[in-house]
Amino acid sequence: MLPTMSSSTNFSFLVALSLFCMAFAAEETTCRFDYIYQFGDSLADTGNRIRQVGVPSVFNISSLPYGMTYFHKPTGRFSNGLLVIDFIAKALHLPLLHPYLETNASFSHGVNFAVGGSTALVNSFFAKRNISVPSKNIPLSQQVKWFKKHLSSVSNSRSQIKKRLKRALIMMGEIGGNDFNSIFSQGKSLKESRVYVPPVVKAICNAVREVIQFGAVHVVVPGNFPAGCLPKALASFSSADPKAYDDYGCLTESNKFALLFNRYLQKALASLRLEFPNADIRYFDYYKAFEYVLQNARYLGFDQRSLLKACCGTGEKYNFNSTKVCGSPGVKACHNPEKFINWDGVHLTQATYHYISEHLIRDVLSEMKCLP
């Protein structure tokens, strides 16, 4: 039985110990990556969204309590501290990734192109279907253009770029969640929204195809986690029918939709592997990693009474209110975020990202095929 974290001191010790183990595992069993390039949305954004001029955010990530745990100040991360990509960088002995939009940042070991709120599909796709998305949305295809522009600025030699990318880890997401959030906001049911799964997956695969054709070799594509366990979903789509919930209190149909999306994505990636036999394309099961945290929450030190509650927010059952979200005036964070799975109703805590990153390093990165 794993020990229960009884204080922030114990948690800090466990994180330090775990990082040591992760770093050791990465050094012993993982390919030597000198660069990381991250694409995606708010789950991986390390500061691009707050650098977009004139783009409001539902969550006020430029103010405390965002960043309160690790950085002790807001950095543009949608969490109280580190994200999965941060733990990966640490385990691989690389600096934390700077956001692409950060002026005069050092990109010597990679770049983070992820932007909070980004979609996999382009804006015109939504416009043709009368689905509203922010006009300054940065879709995945734009992030890929940033990627190519950045590398072309590093070297005008294609052979040099390919040489660099042989030693690079590409994190393609998680992305796609905002596409469906936009679709659901138009009143589309889960059943009606299934028709959008293929185009979203196609957009992700097109991005993978482009970066591989540009020279990338090691690509990780995460799926979606169980959205039906998020406080926002639980507060927004509450039901009087007990059958609408699973044994953990999560929305069953929402989670089935996430699993449907993940299955479709995995099939598409299998086709990409046939198309690019010399590339190592890996799927990361974000859903299963999140599920592991939920199932083992007691032994990982999480508060059993707060598994489906946001640490930062306000509200009754799930501590989430869409009109007064984390970062709003008067909205406070819990004093012990290490005991919460969810941070602000949509995004996760540093503690949760820590355990998810362990799965990614152990189950995916350590198995990647290394190039000479």
Side-chain angles (χ1 to χ4, degrees):
M1 182 181 296
L2 294 173
T4 299
M5 292 175 284
S6 57
S7 68
S8 58
T9 301
N10 287 341
F11 175 70
S12 299
F13 171 76
L14 287 175
V15 169
L17 178 62
S18 183
L19 280 173
F20 172 79
C21 295
M22 290 159 64
F24 180 78
E27 187 172 310
E28 292 297 314
T29 62
T30 306
C31 304
R32 173 61 188 174
F33 294 114
D34 295 325
Y35 311 94
I36 306 175
Y37 297 103
Q38 172 76 61
F39 301 83
D41 55 26
S42 58
L43 296 187
D45 186 357
T46 56
N48 282 314
R49 181 61 184 263
I50 62 172
R51 289 173 170 82
Q52 286 182 281
V53 179
V55 180
S57 176
V58 173
F59 299 95
N60 188 8
I61 58 170
S62 58
S63 300
L64 286 169
Y66 283 93
M68 62 179 273
T69 300
Y70 184 85
F71 302 97
H72 309 297
K73 63 179 182 179
T75 62
R77 288 168 173 79
F78 289 73
S79 182
N80 61 306
L82 298 171
L83 310 177
V84 169
I85 186 58
D86 296 317
F87 283 111
I88 292 172
K90 282 178 171 290
L92 296 177
H93 307 291
L94 296 175
L96 301 186
L97 293 185
H98 288 284
Y100 176 72
L101 297 179
E102 183 177 353
T103 306
N104 300 321
S106 171
F107 298 136
S108 59
H109 291 281
V111 187
N112 192 329
F113 302 104
V115 185
S118 286
T119 58
L121 294 165
V122 296
N123 292 15
S124 58
F125 178 93
F126 296 104
K128 289 177 182 178
R129 293 157 180 81
N130 295 316
I131 297 172
S132 177
V133 293
S135 59
K136 294 188 177 181
N137 170 50
I138 304 295
L140 185 56
S141 58
Q142 179 60 50
Q143 295 179 26
V144 172
K145 289 178 182 177
W146 285 351
F147 167 77
K148 292 181 177 179
K149 182 179 179 181
H150 163 72
L151 288 173
S152 297
S153 71
V154 171
S155 175
N156 57 11
S157 167
R158 284 306 305 255
S159 62
Q160 287 299 314
I161 291 174
K162 288 186 176 182
K163 185 177 179 180
R164 171 182 286 242
L165 290 176
K166 280 186 177 181
R167 306 194 309 275
L169 172 65
I170 310 294
M171 293 295 300
M172 191 59 69
E174 176 275 339
I175 195 162
N178 290 314
D179 297 70
F180 294 108
N181 288 338
S182 299
I183 293 164
F184 298 150
S185 68
Q186 306 299 306
K188 300 286 186 182
S189 67
L190 290 169
K191 187 175 181 180
E192 291 174 312
S193 300
R194 289 180 181 177
V195 68
Y196 296 104
V197 169
V200 171
V201 169
K202 182 179 179 181
I204 296 171
C205 289
N206 284 343
V208 173
R209 182 179 288 107
E210 277 199 68
V211 298
I212 290 175
Q213 289 173 338
F214 205 67
V217 178
H218 301 98
V219 185
V220 176
V221 187
N224 279 318
F225 57 59
C229 298
L230 299 180
K232 179 182 178 181
L234 289 162
S236 302
F237 305 108
S238 60
S239 173
D241 183 3
K243 294 180 181 179
Y245 302 89
D246 64 16
D247 293 341
Y248 293 97
C250 303
L251 291 165
T252 303
E253 291 304 313
S254 294
N255 285 353
K256 284 182 178 180
F257 186 87
L259 288 171
L260 169 71
F261 174 86
N262 290 345
R263 286 194 298 270
Y264 202 98
L265 176 61
Q266 289 178 76
K267 288 181 180 178
L269 293 179
S271 296
L272 273 180
R273 291 186 191 103
L274 296 176
E275 185 178 345
F276 299 103
N278 295 322
D280 194 355
I281 306 169
R282 302 278 174 154
Y283 171 76
F284 173 53
D285 200 334
Y286 217 138
Y287 191 104
K288 186 179 291 185
F290 183 99
E291 194 174 47
Y292 169 85
V293 174
L294 192 60
Q295 291 173 344
N296 297 278
R298 177 182 177 185
Y299 306 114
L300 297 176
F302 294 102
D303 183 353
Q304 291 293 107
R305 300 163 298 179
S306 304
L307 299 184
L308 301 180
K309 291 183 178 181
C311 166
C312 182
T314 183
E316 295 183 4
K317 191 171 182 180
Y318 302 107
N319 202 36
F320 180 84
N321 185 326
S322 59
T323 62
K324 290 195 71 176
V325 296
C326 184
S328 301
V331 178
K332 298 180 180 180
C334 62
H335 69 278
N336 54 346
E338 72 275 4
K339 290 188 174 294
F340 280 71
I341 289 176
N342 195 280
W343 166 244
D344 60 11
V346 175
H347 310 97
L348 311 179
T349 60
Q350 171 178 285
T352 309
Y353 286 134
H354 157 236
Y355 290 115
I356 288 174
S357 67
E358 284 189 328
H359 281 258
L360 176 55
I361 291 168
R362 184 191 68 234
D363 299 340
V364 179
L365 298 190
S366 66
E367 299 295 326
M368 296 198 93
K369 294 179 288 187
C370 303
L371 294 174

